[in-house]
Amino acid sequence: TFNKVSLEFIGNPNSLHTLGVNSKNLIDSATKQIADIIKVDTDEIIYTSGSSESNNLVVKGIMLKYQNRGKHIITTEYEHSSIYGPVGYLQKLGFEVDFVKSNSDGTIDLENLKSLIREDTILVTVNAINSEIGIIQPLYEIANIVHQHKNCFFHADVTQAMGKIEIDFSNIDLASFSAHKFFGIKGIGVLVKKKNIMLE
């Protein structure tokens, strides 16, 4: 399939000529397939170069866009460096970060999460499955806690979870994943973003 696309769909999908229109139609068809599989709308899918770019886009994009509501982020001690990098950058700009405590099995202490969320908490970002030690976080329960706070968004890095566990995207505001984790081509990632959410 990769060879076929490389040889036959060479047009710029943003162009109006026939080759461009054909490429755009192929991308739209693929986007619909992805949307149908994970049960989201096609306009909730943003293509990136991978999970790292998606994670950067979420952390910086949400915090800078909604900083008038607050400057507080909550995350865990089991995240990918593509979360810690932008979080550290934002700390230098005056944003605050709290790390939620973990239970003995590595899962998030949900009571601690409840106690950490404040009026000025804008984002809770959690890795669904840790790539090194395999901790599976209770996304549904975390989402329910976060969504009790109207100004707070829930982001999950589901890179290691795709194709391995069932994920309910309906209660996740933003989700990152990368194609190469399930036999796709390297350099292709997705950010799933609910329609009503804006990014800087």
Side-chain angles (χ1 to χ4, degrees):
T1 303
F2 177 75
N3 287 342
K4 179 181 174 65
V5 170
S6 298
L7 292 169
E8 298 179 18
F9 293 87
I10 58 174
N12 180 341
N14 297 314
S15 298
L16 298 177
H17 50 66
T18 303
L19 289 175
V21 171
N22 289 343
S23 294
K24 176 74 163 67
N25 289 340
L26 184 66
I27 291 172
D28 289 346
S29 174
T31 303
K32 185 177 185 321
Q33 274 188 307
I34 295 167
D36 289 346
I37 289 168
I38 64 175
K39 298 179 179 66
V40 300
D41 291 338
T42 54
D43 55 358
E44 293 179 326
I45 291 176
I46 298 170
Y47 290 110
T48 67
S49 63
S51 298
S52 292
E53 183 183 352
S54 297
N55 288 341
N56 267 270
L57 182 56
V58 166
V59 174
K60 292 176 185 170
I62 288 290
M63 297 310 296
L64 294 173
K65 182 67 180 178
Y66 295 98
Q67 61 183 308
N68 61 320
R69 298 181 182 179
K71 293 189 171 187
H72 185 231
I73 311 165
I74 298 173
T75 190
T76 79
E77 294 181 339
Y78 298 105
E79 299 304 307
H80 189 265
S81 59
S82 60
I83 293 293
Y84 295 139
V87 164
Y89 166 77
L90 289 171
Q91 281 182 294
K92 292 175 183 174
L93 299 181
F95 290 81
E96 290 182 73
V97 60
D98 272 317
F99 294 90
V100 64
K101 291 179 184 175
S102 299
N103 298 312
S104 59
D105 63 357
T107 58
I108 283 177
D109 181 332
L110 297 175
E111 291 304 313
N112 183 240
L113 176 62
K114 289 177 187 175
S115 71
L116 288 176
I117 298 179
R118 315 182 316 212
E119 284 294 316
D120 62 340
T121 306
I122 305 304
L123 181 66
V124 174
T125 178
V126 172
N127 197 338
I129 300 179
N130 182 276
S131 64
E132 295 173 345
I133 48 182
I135 297 165
I136 301 174
Q137 296 293 351
L139 296 184
Y140 184 81
E141 289 84 354
I142 296 167
N144 285 343
I145 292 168
V146 173
H147 290 145
Q148 292 174 22
H149 305 269
K150 63 179 181 176
N151 287 335
C152 194
F153 299 105
F154 177 45
H155 167 249
D157 180 343
V158 299
T159 304
Q160 300 294 339
M162 291 297 287
K164 299 174 185 76
I165 64 170
E166 191 170 340
I167 303 164
D168 180 4
F169 286 87
S170 67
N171 66 352
I172 300 173
D173 299 311
L174 306 113
S176 307
F177 63 88
S178 193
H180 74 278
K181 294 296 183 181
F182 46 88
F183 308 107
I185 298 166
K186 290 182 179 178
I188 299 174
V190 167
L191 171 60
V192 179
K193 179 188 73 67
K194 293 290 171 64
K195 283 183 277 192
N196 60 327
I197 298 173
M198 305 292 289
L199 296 171
E200 184 70 25

